[in-house]
Amino acid sequence: MIDPAAVRSGRVRGRYFRENFAQGGLDLVQIVPELVTNADAAIAAAGRRRGRIELGFLPADRAFKARWRRELRALGAPALSAWRWEVRCTDDGEGLGAAEVDERLGALGVEPHRGGQRGLFGRGLRDVWLAQGAGRLESIKEGRAVETWFFPAPGDDPYAYAHVREGVATARDRAALGIPAGGSRITVPLEAERLPPAAHLRSLVSQLVQLRPVLEDQARELWLELPGELPAAVAFPAPEPCPETPLLFDEEVQVRSGVNARVVVRRSAEPLTVGRMRATRRNGLVVRSGRAAHEATLASFEGRLGARHLYGEVRCEAIDELQREALDSPRPQVVVRVDRSGLNDHHPFVRDLYAVIDRVLEPIVAREERRASAHLLTPGREIAARDREGLRALNDALKSAFEAPGTSGFEPGGAPAERAPLNGNAPQSPPTVAAPDGADEREPREPAALALRFKGSPIRLHPGETRGTSLIFDPERIEPGTAVALAADRGLWAKLRGDVAPPAGRGGWARVRVEVRARVSVEPGERLSVLATAGEHEAELEVLVVRHMATGWVREIARKDEDSAVEAEFDPETGIVTVYEGRPEFRALERAARRAGLTRRRVREYLPHRMLEVEVAANAVYGWAAREIVARRALEGWVGAPRDYAETIRHEAQELRHRVHERLLRAFLDPGVFQGRVRVLEEGAGAAVRSGEDGQASLPL
């Protein structure tokens, strides 16, 4: 037998824990759910019918930061000592006393105080504070206030904490925390130099899958405060149901013997994409147990065309029970991942659950795909060949628009006008300015106020693909030698070919090469971003993850023999422009083509019909490109009147059309149209189509 005196305790450095949690990717996607679900649990524990949660991404509290640095330096703790931003979450729940802090937060691996909480299986606040290297809890309960600091331990323990204040809660304490009776405020300092743009933070909080139960609860109010803005209520932007068939499936199915799950599948009016990241997707079936939401999934039908409109939920209470059993087991195999990224797909029960979801979705997806391909029209060989030429020109136009969307990046100075104005009120020709990276220098561009930008945004990437682009500087506003940094969303890898802004090069700009790679784990349809900073200036590169079959922004024109309220719609994820040729104007031109003597298969060769087809397809793409360009310029969100926003998009679409539409028409239409070899005759003037003496083709009207 082993002598107990010979058994020694192993030691572990606190650095191991910090690096372990940091490598686990504990970012805002994990921090925000921990804070909000913890606040929700505190409100539920207080027994209140309604509750309010305030989440803020704010500048660091200078007084707290100075005191923290002074005290922790004296203790010798390897804690975070400087930060610019912090996340604060305030609730009006039950609050905590010093003894309860010791009980609940004084050890790692402690189970929640009560079952059925929405944040049941997360890493917990201790892990968040440990990964960030600092944390602060302020709470009021039963007339007493406590302030506790959490920090990495100076020795071999993973973390330490100290009650820096404990006593009677004063009116000043309540006013400072914004808590009238009881509640808590949690502060998490962030090591990041820059916060994501405000629009990204809004979509992150309003669409996180783990926050869905809180956002949908009528008894909860979630308010979001961003730098320079007033707090605003947050709500989940629920998909609009399909008016014809909103509900596709609603039944209880068997997962295992004695274990059932309720599966509800709905159909949206518009196709849904993954969104900025999988954690914030609006489509898919949300897997729930108790009061918690774990992930949104489509099982093996991820990325299928027939699943673009599907959303709903899967409710299975067995997940809660199995997770608790696993936590009590000596060799646990958890059902829910500890990083809150979803279910553990290696668990046998999760595999059975996915199999059930597949069985439910298989006939639904098959019907949706038949519906999507129904009434498709096949163009003739000549039209298909002209489509390929036109799509190539359209993709070139989009690439040029995103690299230089109607404005030059900066204003290095313009060339003289070719001729003087006729009078003082006559408009002068816009100056011709140098364009970076070999762009067309003859194209007039109005100057913009950007000091830092990426050459092309958005860009397309397949999972696993690497592409290069350029980060362009205005050397007059960003001095050479200024430090440059990149921050990429999870799922992207980005690298700068230089750490500082270089001197000006050809054309008056300075640029640094940037390599961007989409990891193989990202889902097609995700919209990720890379944020570059240089001094006080920042630029965003938006990345759209596409499927490997996509060869350009626009890869196909699909013609549908259906009537629709819209002429055409463009799906950037698949690259398909769908033209609805069952509309009345197309029907009228089809009848005219048949009267002119064209067969049904050659109707699309009728010049007015072909021109209308090209016009509506191009306008759908112009409108999408204009929205992308305007959204890129307004990184912090649009703050003007809605009418001004609509007018800006219309103007941008018209400007793009003005620059490229002639080239598109030349590519899409027969060359004879532009060479004057087509004449239009009255109905009784001759044969349907005949050759004139001068070699010109004559078409009937």
Side-chain angles (χ1 to χ4, degrees), residues 488-610:
D489 284 343
R490 177 182 293 184
L492 289 180
W493 171 88
K495 182 179 180 180
L496 275 170
R497 295 299 181 184
D499 297 332
V500 297
R506 177 175 59 88
W509 282 275
R511 69 174 185 172
V512 173
R513 181 75 172 173
V514 180
E515 299 290 336
V516 183
R517 180 177 182 271
R519 302 188 187 277
V520 294
S521 58
V522 297
E523 294 288 338
E526 290 193 36
R527 303 177 72 92
L528 308 176
S529 63
V530 177
L531 191 67
T533 58
E536 296 298 323
H537 303 282
E538 63 182 27
E540 183 190 23
L541 172 66
E542 189 170 4
V543 178
L544 175 64
V545 182
V546 297
R547 292 179 177 81
H548 284 280
M549 66 179 181
T551 56
W553 284 113
V554 189
R555 70 178 186 91
E556 181 184 348
I557 295 180
R559 300 161 174 86
K560 272 202 163 186
D561 190 17
E562 291 181 0
D563 196 0
S564 174
V566 295
E567 299 173 325
E569 55 187 4
F570 174 57
D571 184 354
E573 184 180 341
T574 60
I576 297 177
V577 184
T578 303
V579 180
Y580 294 96
E581 298 192 358
R583 287 168 56 91
E585 62 270 30
F586 281 98
R587 293 294 191 196
L589 292 176
E590 182 179 350
R591 292 191 294 269
R594 296 300 302 277
R595 287 197 301 269
L598 295 176
T599 62
R600 183 178 296 275
R601 291 184 57 85
R602 296 189 59 196
V603 163
R604 263 134 225 101
E605 299 177 17
Y606 185 56
L607 183 57
H609 190 285
R610 175 62 171 168

Side-chain angles (χ1 to χ4, degrees), residues 102 172 214 366 398 426 643 671:
D102 295 335
R172 183 176 180 181
V214 180
L398 288 178
R643 181 175 59 185

Side-chain angles (χ1 to χ4, degrees), residues 256-325:
R256 285 181 175 179
S257 178
V259 178
N260 295 335
R262 186 80 180 185
V263 181
V264 180
V265 183
R266 296 183 173 89
R267 189 180 194 280
S268 66
E270 300 294 332
L272 304 172
T273 60
V274 175
R276 293 203 55 81
M277 59 189 73
R278 183 169 181 135
T280 59
R281 63 189 300 178
R282 296 170 62 210
N283 69 331
L285 307 183
V286 179
V287 181
R288 303 175 184 245
S289 66
R291 300 177 67 199
H294 306 296
E295 69 173 13
T297 182
L298 289 167
S300 64
F301 293 96
E302 296 283 357
R304 289 281 292 270
L305 183 62
R308 298 291 304 283
H309 290 261
L310 303 184
Y311 70 104
E313 70 175 24
V314 177
R315 179 167 291 280
C316 183
E317 303 302 336
I319 295 176
D320 189 290
E321 301 169 4
L322 290 172
Q323 184 76 359
R324 285 189 174 276
E325 293 176 5

Side-chain angles (χ1 to χ4, degrees), residues 165-221:
R165 181 177 179 272
E166 182 185 1
V168 178
T170 64
R172 183 176 180 181
D173 295 330
R174 300 182 190 279
L177 297 181
I179 300 174
S184 303
R185 181 169 73 182
I186 308 296
T187 301
V188 180
L190 299 177
E191 226 175 340
E193 281 293 316
R194 300 272 183 173
L195 285 177
H200 296 183
L201 292 175
R202 291 191 197 96
S203 64
L204 173 72
V205 176
S206 64
Q207 295 179 204
L208 268 174
V209 173
Q210 287 84 2
L211 298 189
R212 207 72 57 84
V214 180
L215 294 170
E216 295 174 351
D217 191 344
Q218 298 296 324
R220 295 289 184 270
E221 295 181 16

